[in-house]
């Protein structure tokens, strides 16, 4: 109930009761309430006419990096005795210097310069309004106004640097890169020997093989055949990163989510693949399917980081319905699926592998993550052990299907785990010669 | 400071009301008022927002009804004024949350309490004046005042609605 309505109601009851009962005491009791009400009326705020200018120190920051917001508010109308100002901050923000709320008085034409600093977690935040409310001396009458302002802050996800990732795809693109392309040409790794062709460097001539195959003909002349070493071409590949943003997979409790770990993995891997010159695209599979179309270089890195900064978990249930457009990610290209994983995801992933995609699954270990946040007790340990065993079975099924699996215990740094797991192609790919057809 | 004044004001007000009821010979009502004091202090500690609004309503009604059973008018008046002040300070404490360190909250508190004291003193002064000046009016005057009261309160409530925005 509003304060003024309550006060009006009490005064009304006392006046009416006093008049009805002819008891002067009731009327006398109403006097302090009336005086209080009239004092509120006397100093009631007029309409608000405020202008706001906003300046933000950095519009693109890393998580935990301080952002300073400067505001200049000018009162163009009558003096305001009690003005409350609230600058809504992003969720999970902490003000480190100053305050995002003020309670001030502003005379006509007076300007208030206000500055505060905050830190926040990953996300995008638009500072679209500043909430202002003016009240009389006793808070009986309030005039509110949402003052439109401009400004935005993009808090990008952390992306630890991964130095080396060895991927082997059956198909590569035409540009030179770091992925063995199963074709002879300029490169580093020995690929084979072929007959010398004009234009080949003399350094490439394999003299030992050439000597072995030189022959003497019937008329006594020696025919000299030359052979050149051939190296394996290294090219760039298409890499599709699929981030699992389904809420029921990522949300582990009321305030516990492993989604930020998946975001970190996506940012780090996309950065590493782009740094190697690959064509990288991102698919965020949450409530909607959010594509960042494949591209190269720093611009693409920015696009992906922006998409990851805004990513939120959604309500999709199953991964089975996902469709990977072949025009964007041709069969035989590399897919990286980042998800805590549930059992239902196995079959769709095996199907992707069967289509010919080289598949890496990076799975933040949700069981250890959740167990670390629970109070340690024997039932918790027992439950974690059982669930871990079930998870190992799930991961093993994926490995048997030819999927590279990175089981990431989130207490270990991501870059260490992924470098040790993906620095070399897995043994089964090495055994079949990189999966060439 | 605001919280201390609030608790002191509430305690004084409800003690006075309880004393008024006890002196009027209705001891159980005095005990009930003291129970209300304890309950309201407990609810305030639990940050139950509507506590003071409920206490103000009950205090005003209790004081007014008490006048019929000869509760001392001065005690009833002190009770209403003190609980009104507590209710005001509760609202101010909620607005004070907006004050940042650079707004000097202590000075804001002092200024508000000074203003509140002035208004309360004015109210009490006018009340005392009304107790000394007695005018016996007839039914016509009472009817006129009732109509004016209806009209005034109705206009007030209507006027407030758009202003609340």
């Amino acid at each position: 109930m509003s304060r003024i309505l309550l006060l009006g109601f009490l005064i009304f009851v006392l006046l009416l009761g006093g008049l009805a009962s002819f008891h002067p005491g009731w009327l006398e009791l109403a006097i302090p309430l009336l005086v209080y009400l009239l004092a509120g009326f006397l100093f009631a705020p007029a309409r608000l006419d405020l202008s706001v200018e906003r300046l933000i120190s950095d519009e693109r920051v890393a998580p935990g990096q301080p952002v300073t917001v400067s505001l200049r508010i000018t009162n163009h109308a009558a003096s305001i005795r009690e003005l409350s100002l609230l600058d809504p901050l992003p969720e999970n923000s902490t003000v480190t210097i100053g305050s995002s709320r003020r309670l001030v008085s502003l005379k006509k034409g007076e300007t208030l310069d206000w500055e505060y600093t905050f830190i926040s977690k990953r996300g995008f935040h638009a500072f679209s309004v500043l909430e202002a409310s003016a009240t009389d001396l006793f808070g009986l009458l309030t005039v509110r106004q949402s003052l439109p302002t401009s400004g935005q802050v993009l808090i990008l996800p952390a992306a630890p640097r991964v130095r080396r990732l060895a991927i082997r795809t059956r198909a590569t693109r035409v540009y030179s890169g770091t992925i063995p392309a199963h074709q002879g040409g300029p490169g580093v790794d020995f690929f084979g020997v072929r007959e010398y062709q004009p234009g080949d460097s003399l350094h490439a001539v394999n003299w030992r093989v050439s000597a072995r195959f030189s022959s003497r003909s019937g008329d006594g002349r020696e025919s000299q055949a030359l052979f050149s070493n051939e190296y394996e071409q290294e090219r760039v590949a298409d890499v599709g990163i699929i981030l699992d943003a389904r809420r029921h997979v990522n949300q582990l409790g009321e305030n516990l989510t492993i989604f930020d770990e998946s975001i970190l993995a996506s940012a780090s891997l996309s950065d590493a693949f782009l740094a190697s010159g690959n064509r990288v695209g991102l698919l965020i599979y949450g409530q909607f399917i959010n594509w960042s179309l494949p591209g190269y270089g720093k611009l693409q890195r920015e696009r992906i980081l922006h998409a990851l900064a805004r990513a939120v978990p959604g309500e999709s249930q199953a991964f089975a319905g996902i469709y990977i457009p072949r025009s964007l990610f041709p069969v035989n290209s590399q897919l990286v699926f980042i998800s805590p994983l549930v059992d239902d995801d196995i079959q769709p992933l095996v199907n992707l592998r069967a289509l010919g995609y080289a598949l890496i699954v990076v799975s933040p270990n949700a069981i250890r993550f959740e167990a670390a946040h629970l109070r340690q007790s024997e039932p918790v340990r027992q439950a974690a052990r059982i669930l871990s065993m079930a998870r190992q079975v799930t991961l093993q099924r994926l490995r048997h299907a030819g999927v590279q699996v990175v089981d990431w215990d989130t207490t270990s740094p991501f870059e260490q785990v992924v470098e040790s797991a993906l620095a070399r192609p897995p043994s089964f790919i090495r055994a079949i010669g990189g999966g060439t057809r | 400071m605001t919280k201390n004044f609030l608790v002191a004001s509430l305690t004084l007000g409800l003690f006075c009301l309880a004393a008024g009821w006890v002196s009027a010979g209705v001891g159980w009502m005095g005990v009930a008022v003291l129970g209300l004091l304890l309950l309201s202090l407990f609810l305030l500690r639990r940050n139950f927002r509507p506590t003071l609004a409920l206490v103000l309503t009950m205090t005003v009604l209790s004081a007014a009804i008490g006048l019929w059973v000869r509760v001392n008018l001065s005690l009833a008046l002190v009770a209403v004024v003190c609980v009104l002040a507590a209710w005001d300070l509760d609202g101010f404490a909620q607005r004070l949350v907006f004050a940042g360190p650079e707004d000097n909250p202590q000075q804001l508190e002092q200024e508000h309490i000074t203003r509140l004291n002035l208004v309360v003193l004015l109210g009490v002064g006018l009340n005392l004046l009304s107790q000394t000046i007695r005018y016996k009016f007839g039914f016509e005057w009472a009817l006129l005042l009732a109509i004016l009261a209806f009209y005034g309160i109705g206009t007030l409530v209507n006027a407030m609605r758009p202003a609340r925005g």
Side-chain angles (χ1 to χ4, degrees):
Chain A
M1 193 183 204
S2 117
R3 289 168 63 80
I4 194 150
L5 283 179
L6 175 66
L7 203 60
F9 166 75
L10 291 176
I11 294 169
F12 173 75
V13 167
L14 288 174
L15 287 182
L16 207 66
L19 290 171
S21 65
F22 287 97
H23 197 302
W26 283 57
L27 300 177
E28 285 164 12
L29 281 183
I31 289 173
L33 302 180
L34 266 172
V35 170
Y36 183 86
L37 183 68
L38 290 175
F41 266 120
L42 200 61
F43 299 105
R47 67 180 180 84
L48 290 179
D49 185 8
L50 301 166
S51 65
V52 186
E53 293 170 45
R54 184 193 293 278
L55 198 67
I56 298 173
S57 63
D58 287 301
E59 294 195 343
R60 186 181 173 284
V61 295
Q65 189 178 332
V67 179
T68 301
V69 179
S70 305
L71 290 150
R72 170 166 279 215
I73 299 142
T74 308
N75 179 20
H76 301 289
S79 299
I80 306 167
R81 285 185 180 77
E82 213 173 276
L83 177 66
S84 309
L85 297 164
L86 170 65
D87 200 17
L89 282 178
E91 277 182 40
N92 301 318
S93 299
T94 311
V95 176
T96 52
I97 302 170
S99 172
S100 64
R101 305 195 268 198
R102 294 292 299 269
L103 184 66
V104 293
S105 61
L106 271 186
K107 294 192 177 106
K108 185 180 180 181
E110 191 180 346
T111 297
L112 170 72
D113 286 314
W114 171 19
E115 195 172 278
Y116 67 91
T117 303
F118 73 95
I119 53 173
S120 189
K121 290 185 177 171
R122 174 190 65 86
F124 171 78
H125 183 70
F127 289 91
S128 53
V129 291
L130 175 73
E131 301 290 348
S133 63
T135 62
D136 63 296
L137 294 178
F138 301 115
L140 295 174
L141 300 166
T142 306
V143 181
R144 291 193 176 88
Q145 192 180 8
S146 293
L147 304 164
T149 66
S150 60
Q152 59 184 37
V153 172
L154 186 69
I155 300 163
L156 298 170
R161 193 165 176 194
V162 178
R163 292 183 189 281
R164 178 158 170 74
L165 289 176
I167 56 171
R168 290 285 164 91
T169 57
R170 288 181 175 179
T172 53
R173 297 189 76 79
V174 292
Y175 305 114
S176 62
T178 60
I179 298 167
H182 321 301
Q183 286 182 11
V188 176
D189 290 340
F190 179 76
F191 185 67
V193 176
R194 60 164 170 76
E195 206 165 336
Y196 178 84
Q197 288 172 358
D200 282 353
S201 164
L202 281 179
H203 292 291
V205 173
N206 189 323
W207 296 107
R208 193 183 295 267
V209 174
S210 301
R212 193 178 300 159
F213 284 93
S214 64
S215 58
R216 191 177 293 273
S217 59
D219 57 359
R221 287 197 308 172
E222 191 174 8
S223 66
Q224 181 67 53
L226 286 178
F227 291 88
S228 300
N229 284 339
E230 209 175 24
Y231 298 92
E232 188 170 20
Q233 286 191 37
E234 290 182 335
R235 292 183 176 170
V236 297
D238 285 308
V239 180
I241 295 176
I242 303 169
L243 170 63
D244 186 355
R246 291 171 296 168
R247 182 168 290 132
H248 74 280
V249 177
N250 288 286
Q251 198 74 35
L252 305 175
E254 197 174 336
N255 293 316
L256 187 64
T257 174
I258 199 168
F259 188 58
D260 282 329
E261 273 66 20
S262 296
I263 292 275
L264 179 143
S266 306
S268 184
L269 288 177
S270 60
D271 193 28
F273 287 128
L274 283 167
S276 307
N278 298 298
R279 181 173 173 259
V280 179
L282 172 71
L283 185 157
I284 300 173
Y285 185 70
Q287 188 164 9
F288 308 104
I289 292 179
N290 178 8
W291 273 104
S292 296
L293 296 178
Y296 298 94
K298 288 180 180 172
L299 192 63
Q300 181 67 1
R301 181 180 183 273
E302 277 300 304
R303 277 197 208 111
I304 288 177
L305 285 178
H306 278 230
L308 290 173
R310 294 164 188 251
V312 286
E315 291 294 350
S316 289
Q317 290 300 311
F319 184 59
I322 196 164
Y323 168 70
I324 309 284
R326 292 188 186 177
S327 56
L328 299 178
F329 291 103
V331 170
N332 297 332
S333 64
Q334 178 73 54
L335 291 183
V336 181
F337 182 58
I338 297 166
S339 166
L341 281 181
V342 288
D343 277 348
D344 295 345
D345 300 336
I346 303 302
Q347 196 52 48
L349 291 173
V350 171
N351 290 346
L352 282 176
R353 180 75 187 119
L355 284 172
Y357 288 105
L359 190 57
I360 297 173
V361 171
V362 177
S363 182
N365 194 323
I367 296 160
R368 286 191 187 169
F369 181 81
E370 188 175 6
H373 288 83
L374 293 174
R375 199 155 49 88
Q376 290 303 311
S377 62
E378 193 50 37
V380 167
R381 273 193 289 275
Q382 200 74 11
R385 201 176 306 145
I386 292 167
L387 288 170
S388 293
M389 285 163 66
R391 179 179 162 84
Q392 286 309 317
V393 171
T394 303
L395 298 183
Q396 201 58 38
R397 282 173 63 196
L398 281 175
R399 288 190 184 105
H400 285 161
V403 177
Q404 279 181 273
V405 178
V406 180
D407 183 10
W408 175 29
D409 178 356
T410 53
T411 54
S412 307
F414 176 73
E415 59 274 25
Q416 281 181 17
V417 173
V418 87
E419 275 178 11
S420 68
L422 300 178
R424 297 183 68 204
S427 54
F428 68 87
I429 289 183
R430 292 201 300 274
I432 59 173
T436 47
R437 279 178 291 189
Chain B
M1 185 164 64
T2 303
K3 283 281 176 193
N4 293 341
F5 268 88
L6 188 159
V7 172
S9 188
L10 180 69
T11 309
L12 177 64
L14 290 183
F15 257 118
C16 286
L17 186 61
W21 278 100
V22 171
S23 63
V26 191
W28 64 269
M29 192 61 190
V31 174
V33 171
L34 289 178
L36 175 68
L37 170 64
L38 293 177
L39 180 67
S40 55
L41 289 175
F42 172 74
L43 291 176
L44 273 177
R45 198 174 172 78
R46 300 293 298 265
N47 286 325
F48 182 63
R49 275 275 179 89
T51 305
L52 264 300
L54 292 172
V55 173
L56 177 67
T57 309
M58 292 169 83
T59 304
V60 168
L61 294 179
S62 168
I65 291 166
L67 295 178
W68 279 335
V69 290
R70 298 189 184 283
V71 167
N72 187 297
L73 178 60
S74 301
L75 286 175
L77 177 69
V78 171
V80 168
V81 166
C82 286
V83 176
L84 175 69
W87 176 68
D88 172 85
L89 289 171
D90 183 50
F92 179 69
Q94 286 170 23
R95 299 200 298 283
L96 197 64
V97 172
F98 280 84
E102 59 268 61
D103 297 330
N104 199 352
Q106 283 158 355
Q107 192 188 339
L108 289 173
E109 282 179 312
Q110 280 174 4
E111 285 173 6
H112 183 81
I113 289 168
T114 309
R115 280 196 298 255
L116 179 65
N117 282 339
L118 286 175
V119 171
V120 164
L121 282 175
L122 185 65
V124 173
L126 283 173
N127 187 287
L128 292 174
L129 195 67
S130 73
Q131 286 182 38
T132 53
I133 303 169
R134 294 278 175 176
Y135 174 72
K136 190 169 172 123
F137 53 82
F139 177 75
E140 301 80 9
W141 280 103
L143 189 64
L144 180 66
L145 277 175
I147 291 168
L148 278 176
F150 265 118
Y151 178 76
I153 300 297
T155 310
L156 173 78
V157 170
N158 280 332
M160 290 314 103
R161 279 184 178 158
R164 286 170 62 225

